[in-house]
Amino acid sequence: MDKGTSKETAVYFFEDYSAKEVNEDKVGRKGLSLFKLKDMDVPVPEFFVVGSNVFVQHALKVLNGTKGKLLAKGRNPESEEVEVALLKESFPREVEEEILSAYTRLSGFTDAWVSVRSSIVFPAEKDVSFSGVFSTELNVRKYEELIPSIKRIMSSLFCDDVVAYASKMGVDISDAKMAVVVQKMVQSETAGIVYTVDPITQEKTKLSVEAVYGLGDVISLGEVTPDTYLLNKKDLSTVEKHISPQESMKVRTMRHAKKGSQGVEKIKISKNWSHKQKLSDPDIKEISKIALVIEDRCNEPQAVEWVLSGGRFWVLQNKPVRYKPLDVRVESNASLIVRVNIRDQIQGFLDKYRSKDEMISSAMTEAKKIVKKQSNIEMKRLEKLIYEAKKELDTEILKEETKREDFVLSGIGASFGKAVGKINIVDAPVAKKFTKDDILLIKRYSTEMEGMILSSAGVIMETGGLTSDTAILCREFNIPAVVGAKKASSLLRNGEYVRLDGNSGTVYREKKEKSEDVSTEVHPVVHAYTKGEVKIEEKVEEEKKEEIPSVPPKDSTLPPTATKIYSMVTKPAKKMFNYVGDSNGFVYVDLDRIMIEDGRHILKYVEEKKFLDYTKKISQQIIDYVDLAGGEEVVVSIGSAKVKDFRALVGGKSLEDSSLSPEARGAIHYITNPELLKRVARIIRRVRNVYKKRNVSLAIHSPMNEDVMKEMKKYLSAEKLRRTSSFNLYVVLDNSSEIILIDEIINTQIDGVILNTPKVAMQMQGFKEDTKNAKYDLARSSVFKVLDNVHSSVREKNGKTIVIVENNKPLLRYCVQAGVYGVSVYPEDIKEARKVVAGEEVKIILG
């Protein structure tokens, strides 16, 4: 729907909105995360979101109309009754038309296979994850199947499991709304989850990658024990690998999905592959880098769900990883006002949305939520202690306790704590009521078991990993858990008493029916706290200093723009701090100029075996600008300086090719001196890979012609600088001869062109290149014509055109009208440029 109309939008298509134009209230948590990922240029499958307002209007109409039947004589309706009622009622015609339009755009010429997922709206409690609580439908095809699928996802908010979950978390489920994400399916070869913090110890210097063959929902369902790779964030070195055999995998079928079948099937994996590592080491690093970019942009640890298809990674969704403080025992939430069944939930929903007057009663609930929230300082203290306790005790436990005669089995400790109880082996939901005297041994998990898990003392699972729904649920409610415990059901019997240790992932037989000292046993966190070995306050203060770096100020009153507005680099990074907060990055940081200002030839440092120190020094100068960009693109250029400038450096005369003209520069200079190119490429690689500045791209001045540019790309590829989703390769056009050859140059498969209009204008208007204070005119029609020619050629190859406009407003306006990708202006003029660009874009939108 047109953003300019006053009518409320029902569907948000990924191409039509940026993350700044939507929010959780409109598109839900999952929908908002996808828009943010899209804006980060992270590869996500195409999608659209059916807004939460559609859910509210639809549910309100249905429940108001059927409450006489559903809630008659105090009865509590079944979730299936609510689903049937929501399915019978049609969406408004205009809503169905918007959904059809979005699905048609998503599909193209054929009906697309899509997944339909919930996107919860619950801003009151960010820490309540609702992980695995709502329905998901995969492999949906055709509009006729899509509409019922969307309604079924909406109806999954009204079910006993959701009410039980909300009750345990102490929140009012009637405060929740539901948006629905419809996303193109990707045939997954390998899938998994990246946690950018150790999910057990919560150590921020580690990240965890889980991987399985086929569809990744087997991880959250706990059907398969995934490979787990633990890495150091600093250098992505491997700390630990746990390779788990996988006998079968889920794949998408070409048949239509039926309710419950999800359009998938299990296929056997050959013995040659079943015991192999699921992800290669380079792929582990690649998906880890993508996850770290997401964490950096979101400013908090993330759980990133991904798939690998056709050699390319796709990110399906991301969630913040927030841990509640751990305590010795689980406290009761009985004192809080919460909904106890579906009837109560429906009544609460109707009370909230039916009348504004009746919404006043929710004020008391909100007040209680505020009181309930625990101190952030205490949360950080206890989180700090988790790793200390884990590190101190794990070695002792594994070396000594597993030698005890009562040791039965070990798996993966998925949730801290210890519990004693009798074994109950289950492979399906049962009606039996469980208590804190029961430990569940789950052979096969389903979401209907959540109520059983919440009532139990502890959980053992034969399959599953740290990021399975069971593990997450247990961590949320402080229920000790061990997952990936193979053959547990054959080693333990129903009714047998055991001691479960979620810290070490071990299980022991318990001779007594129930240990008398269980309730007084000291939790490792409390143990470490009592000993006083951790200087909590000092660590918290140090961390705060690291986590709150100085960032350039931003003007929130400035309008957003579709045209990227970059800052030119005209002064040292420190002097640009107050200007660049409102920019989209830098075009460009001139590496040749930095090397020339050093005064010593780069290859002289190589001769003297001081290249590493030199690299660190030059890299830091680049990083000073990158840090100001706040994750936005920073283009570093090479080739601006002439051969004579390099020859004038210390050692330069003997280290430069004497056959080259002193006036030569750009690509021809670098391919004639391959050692120079090799060393410069290593500086760029160091900035990106060692210092993790993945938003750095490269531009080459004076590409000359197609052959020279192809040769340049060969050298760069040999140094592992290849075009990727996070690394763009541009050329900088500095003179008119290159503009004539633009069609040839753009054919070499580059990402875009930077048009250096000041240099080009000087030549066209008769100024010598070295003329100081030349009064060239960037607003002449001849400059506009050059821009049109270049942009037309670049656009045909789907490339990006970035134009250096300095502070010339007529040229700036013309660039917006021409539809260029971005402009680069003086840092002092960024704010004014945003206003001008926004004004021109409004004119275009309004025709």
Side-chain angles (χ1 to χ4, degrees):
M1 186 177 290
D2 191 343
K3 288 184 253 184
T5 65
S6 59
K7 197 171 187 181
E8 194 171 12
T9 303
V11 175
Y12 298 84
F13 197 77
F14 79 101
E15 288 181 329
D16 298 341
Y17 296 86
S18 68
K20 293 177 181 178
E21 296 172 289
V22 296
N23 54 41
E24 180 181 331
D25 188 64
K26 293 178 180 178
V27 298
R29 293 178 181 176
K30 191 169 295 179
L32 182 59
S33 76
L34 287 173
F35 277 105
K36 287 180 178 179
L37 290 172
K38 187 256 304 184
D39 287 358
M40 294 177 203
D41 291 328
V42 171
V44 293
E46 298 172 351
F47 67 93
F48 64 86
V49 182
V50 180
S52 64
N53 57 308
V54 176
F55 164 79
V56 171
Q57 292 162 9
H58 187 64
L60 195 58
K61 182 179 179 182
V62 171
L63 296 177
N64 257 329
T66 59
K67 68 177 182 177
K69 179 182 177 181
L70 292 175
L71 309 181
K73 297 180 181 179
R75 69 185 293 265
N76 180 41
E78 298 291 334
S79 57
E80 290 80 5
E81 294 179 82
V82 181
E83 180 180 313
V84 169
L86 290 174
L87 283 170
K88 279 184 179 178
E89 183 66 37
S90 298
F91 287 138
R93 183 175 57 82
E94 59 271 20
V95 171
E96 292 193 341
E97 287 175 355
E98 280 196 57
I99 295 173
L100 175 59
S101 174
Y103 180 64
T104 303
R105 288 176 68 184
L106 202 70
S107 298
F109 294 106
T110 59
D111 291 325
W113 299 88
V114 296
S115 62
V116 186
R117 303 174 190 266
S118 61
S119 183
I120 189 69
V121 178
F122 200 72
E125 291 284 351
K126 295 289 186 185
D127 291 338
V128 179
S129 69
F130 291 99
S131 179
V133 176
F134 304 112
S135 297
T136 293
E137 296 199 6
L138 307 177
N139 222 32
V140 178
R141 194 183 187 203
K142 295 187 180 298
Y143 173 74
E144 295 77 13
E145 291 183 7
L146 177 60
I147 293 294
S149 181
I150 291 170
K151 292 176 183 176
R152 283 194 293 270
I153 298 301
M154 290 178 172
S155 73
S156 68
L157 182 61
F158 299 98
C159 74
D160 292 314
D161 288 334
V162 173
V163 173
Y165 177 89
S167 177
K168 275 287 184 181
M169 294 302 291
V171 297
D172 186 351
I173 192 60
S174 67
D175 288 344
K177 297 188 289 185
M178 179 79 77
V180 178
V181 173
V182 178
Q183 190 171 31
K184 260 191 176 180
M185 290 284 292
V186 177
Q187 184 65 288
S188 168
E189 297 159 11
T190 311
I193 300 173
V194 180
Y195 265 58
T196 63
V197 60
D198 190 319
I200 294 300
T201 67
Q202 302 169 29
E203 189 183 2
K204 293 180 180 177
T205 61
K206 302 284 193 300
L207 66 83
S208 174
V209 182
E210 291 192 345
V212 294
Y213 291 131
L215 294 174
D217 65 333
V218 295
I219 296 178
S220 61
L221 294 174
E223 294 178 1
V224 171
T225 303
D227 279 7
T228 304
Y229 320 114
L230 190 65
L231 284 72
N232 281 313
K233 276 189 184 177
K234 185 176 181 181
D235 55 5
L236 295 184
S237 59
T238 303
V239 177
E240 184 182 311
K241 280 186 184 179
H242 179 74
I243 311 300
S244 299
Q246 185 176 340
E247 297 176 356
S248 64
M249 66 178 181
K250 277 187 180 179
V251 296
R252 181 164 64 88
T253 69
M254 296 304 290
R255 295 187 295 273
H256 294 334
K258 294 179 181 178
K259 185 185 173 185
S261 72
Q262 297 294 292
V264 297
E265 64 179 354
K266 275 189 178 181
I267 61 172
K268 279 203 167 187
I269 299 173
S270 68
K271 291 183 179 179
N272 293 335
W273 285 93
S274 62
H275 288 68
K276 285 189 176 181
Q277 183 174 312
K278 312 297 186 302
L279 272 183
S280 66
D281 289 345
D283 281 341
I284 293 172
K285 289 186 176 181
E286 183 64 26
I287 191 57
S288 298
K289 290 171 186 174
I290 293 172
L292 289 176
V293 168
I294 296 171
E295 180 191 50
D296 182 61
R297 297 288 183 90
C298 296
N299 294 316
E300 63 179 326
Q302 297 288 306
V304 179
E305 187 179 329
W306 56 268
V307 298
L308 180 63
S309 178
R312 182 179 183 184
F313 281 105
W314 296 91
V315 174
L316 301 183
Q317 62 175 318
N318 66 303
K319 295 179 183 177
V321 179
R322 299 187 180 109
Y323 290 98
K324 290 191 169 186
L326 298 178
D327 207 339
V328 179
R329 65 185 71 184
V330 181
E331 297 293 337
S332 171
N333 290 325
S335 61
L336 294 168
I337 300 174
V338 293
R339 309 294 168 178
V340 297
N341 53 37
I342 295 177
R343 174 191 173 83
D344 203 9
Q345 180 189 7
I346 291 174
Q347 194 60 59
F349 177 83
L350 292 174
D351 289 345
K352 185 175 180 65
Y353 293 104
R354 184 171 46 196
S355 167
K356 289 183 180 179
D357 294 334
E358 293 176 326
M359 290 173 64
I360 298 171
S361 62
S362 66
M364 287 299 296
T365 306
E366 293 299 321
K368 291 188 177 184
K369 287 176 186 175
I370 293 169
V371 173
K372 179 198 163 199
K373 286 188 177 179
Q374 299 177 352
S375 165
N376 287 334
I377 296 173
E378 289 303 317
M379 183 183 293
K380 289 201 171 188
R381 284 184 176 183
L382 289 171
E383 285 178 355
K384 284 287 176 185
L385 291 167
I386 292 169
Y387 177 62
E388 295 296 326
K390 179 83 172 170
K391 185 170 65 175
E392 178 186 344
L393 299 178
D394 271 0
T395 306
E396 219 173 289
I397 291 168
L398 291 173
K399 285 185 177 179
E400 296 179 16
E401 291 197 17
T402 55
K403 293 179 181 178
R404 290 163 35 179
E405 291 181 2
D406 53 359
F407 172 76
V408 182
L409 58 88
S410 65
I412 302 168
S415 180
F416 270 137
K418 297 180 182 180
V420 172
K422 58 185 176 185
I423 289 292
N424 290 263
I425 301 175
V426 293
D427 59 3
V430 292
K432 177 183 175 182
K433 286 188 177 182
F434 293 98
T435 69
K436 292 301 178 183
D437 191 39
D438 296 306
I439 289 179
L440 299 185
L441 197 169
I442 300 175
K443 298 177 70 174
R444 182 179 299 174
Y445 171 77
S446 70
T447 55
E448 290 83 2
M449 292 182 178
E450 286 173 4
M452 298 160 51
I453 291 172
L454 297 178
S455 301
S456 68
V459 174
I460 302 169
M461 278 193 69
E462 291 192 314
T463 56
L466 296 174
T467 55
S468 63
D469 285 344
T470 308
I472 294 170
L473 191 69
C474 289
R475 286 197 290 273
E476 277 192 293
F477 291 103
N478 298 342
I479 298 170
V482 175
V483 299
K486 299 173 186 175
K487 300 181 180 178
S489 59
S490 62
L491 296 171
L492 296 167
R493 300 187 308 276
N494 267 320
E496 186 175 4
Y497 273 85
V498 297
R499 179 184 292 270
L500 180 156
D501 190 337
N503 305 327
S504 61
T506 49
V507 178
Y508 311 94
R509 285 191 173 85
E510 186 72 13
K511 292 180 181 178
K512 298 178 183 179
E513 289 202 345
K514 188 152 186 175
S515 174
E516 295 175 0
D517 63 346
V518 171
S519 59
T520 58
E521 186 173 338
V522 179
H523 193 282
V525 171
V526 179
H527 178 62
Y529 189 89
T530 305
K531 287 175 67 180
E533 293 183 355
V534 183
K535 296 178 181 178
I536 305 159
E537 293 180 5
E538 292 178 12
K539 287 195 174 184
V540 171
E541 287 172 6
E542 289 172 6
E543 183 178 319
K544 282 182 179 176
K545 289 178 184 176
E546 292 175 6
E547 290 186 350
I548 310 177
S550 296
V551 294
K554 290 189 176 185
D555 187 346
S556 60
T557 65
L558 291 175
T561 61
T563 309
K564 300 286 186 183
I565 300 175
Y566 296 97
S567 173
M568 297 170 63
V569 178
T570 58
K571 53 187 74 176
K574 289 182 181 178
K575 293 185 178 181
M576 298 181 72
F577 181 85
N578 291 323
Y579 302 108
V580 299
D582 298 302
S583 73
N584 295 115
F586 290 98
V587 172
Y588 41 80
V589 178
D590 190 338
L591 184 52
D592 276 23
R593 180 185 59 77
I594 293 173
M595 292 190 292
I596 295 297
E597 288 176 353
D598 180 72
R600 198 175 191 84
H601 201 287
I602 181 174
L603 298 183
K604 190 68 177 174
Y605 286 99
V606 176
E607 281 186 355
E608 295 169 348
K609 298 184 178 178
K610 296 178 180 178
F611 178 67
L612 183 58
D613 292 336
Y614 174 80
T615 302
K616 290 178 181 177
K617 178 174 66 174
I618 299 298
S619 296
Q620 188 55 55
Q621 292 187 56
I622 297 172
I623 290 166
D624 287 343
Y625 291 104
V626 178
D627 286 344
L628 291 180
E632 300 281 5
E633 185 176 30
V634 176
V635 179
V636 176
S637 75
I638 59 173
S640 68
K642 297 178 180 179
V643 170
K644 66 180 182 183
D645 299 322
F646 279 89
R647 285 177 182 163
L649 299 173
V650 174
K653 207 165 188 179
S654 61
L655 294 169
E656 289 292 334
D657 192 322
S658 58
S659 65
L660 272 180
S661 164
E663 300 297 318
R665 71 161 121 216
I668 192 66
H669 175 211
Y670 276 92
I671 64 172
T672 309
N673 193 339
E675 186 63 22
L676 173 65
L677 178 56
K678 175 181 174 182
R679 298 295 172 173
V680 167
R682 289 185 181 180
I683 292 173
I684 302 294
R685 223 170 65 218
R686 182 180 185 86
V687 171
R688 284 178 53 82
N689 298 341
V690 176
Y691 296 105
K692 310 300 179 191
K693 306 301 181 183
R694 306 295 290 176
N695 53 322
V696 171
S697 297
L698 179 64
I700 299 159
H701 285 266
S702 300
M704 202 166 181
N705 57 44
E706 185 177 7
D707 293 335
V708 171
M709 198 56 210
K710 283 182 177 177
E711 195 67 20
M712 187 79 177
K713 285 187 67 181
K714 284 182 186 176
Y715 281 113
L716 291 173
S717 294
E719 290 302 316
K720 299 180 181 177
L721 280 179
R722 303 181 185 89
R723 293 167 62 217
T724 66
S725 59
S726 67
F727 180 68
N728 293 319
L729 182 62
Y730 299 94
V731 295
V732 183
L733 302 184
D734 293 308
N735 59 66
S736 53
S737 63
E738 292 157 358
I739 292 168
I740 296 169
L741 296 172
I742 182 60
D743 289 327
E744 275 190 29
I745 294 168
I746 203 71
N747 275 334
T748 58
Q749 295 184 336
I750 55 177
D751 293 287
V753 167
I754 299 169
L755 181 59
N756 193 346
T757 47
K759 290 276 188 185
V760 174
M762 285 179 69
Q763 293 175 33
M764 293 171 63
Q765 294 166 26
F767 293 100
K768 289 185 179 179
E769 186 181 349
D770 299 328
T771 305
K772 292 183 179 179
N773 302 318
K775 295 182 178 179
Y776 52 84
D777 185 2
L778 295 181
R780 287 191 183 180
S781 59
S782 56
V783 176
F784 294 170
K785 190 172 181 180
V786 167
L787 167 58
D788 285 337
N789 290 338
V790 170
H791 184 49
S792 175
S793 297
V794 174
R795 188 168 48 195
E796 283 181 11
K797 297 294 182 181
N798 297 317
K800 303 173 184 176
T801 305
I802 301 173
V803 182
I804 297 176
V805 302
E806 295 183 335
N807 60 354
N808 191 285
K809 288 184 182 178
L811 177 58
L812 180 60
R813 291 190 179 97
Y814 193 83
C815 286
V816 178
Q817 293 163 12
V820 302
Y821 177 77
V823 293
S824 187
V825 302
Y826 289 137
E828 300 89 344
D829 296 298
I830 290 169
K831 288 188 177 182
E832 184 62 26
R834 288 198 81 90
K835 295 174 185 176
V836 172
V837 171
E840 288 302 309
E841 290 181 347
V842 168
K843 292 177 186 177
I844 292 170
I845 292 168
L846 296 176

